Amino acid sequence: INAEYGLLKPSMVTAGQGHATKSDPQTIAKYTLRTLLRTIPASFGGIMFLSGGQTEFEATANLDAINKLAAKESAPWRLSFSFGRALQASTITTWAGKKENIRDSQNVFFQ
């Protein structure tokens, strides 16, 4: 296997669902990047994060913080997302499977 063509799809390092408080994006970035730097070869093609049950707002804020820290730390991989479901959550909720909600759900999606 040529790691240069590989894409890893991990979750971010977050506090567990049963934890009393949620971690802020900077803390998630710190521990996620630390874990990746310790375990993933620099030659790996890219890392595409899963949402892991986060809302679209949480997942986006956390990915932004990870990318900012990765740039500062000169992380060797391309970092992006693979959390289409999280990005569509508000749209799907607005649509609710009803034809009359299509226009409103499209507007939510484009926000």
Side-chain angles (χ1 to χ4, degrees), residues 8-17 23-36 39 47-68 78-84 86-87:
L8 183 65
K9 290 179 69 172
S11 294
M12 298 171 191
V13 177
T14 61
Q17 289 183 352
S23 301
D24 62 86
Q26 289 71 31
T27 301
I28 290 169
K30 174 184 172 182
Y31 290 109
T32 299
L33 191 60
R34 182 182 75 176
T35 300
L36 294 173
T39 59
I47 298 171
M48 309 297 133
F49 289 100
L50 299 168
S51 61
Q54 301 174 74
T55 68
E56 66 251 58
F57 304 108
E58 292 168 335
T60 302
N62 292 336
L63 178 60
D64 181 57
I66 293 167
N67 268 310
K68 286 177 179 173
R78 296 180 189 274
L79 305 174
S80 191
F81 64 88
S82 182
F83 44 80
L87 293 176

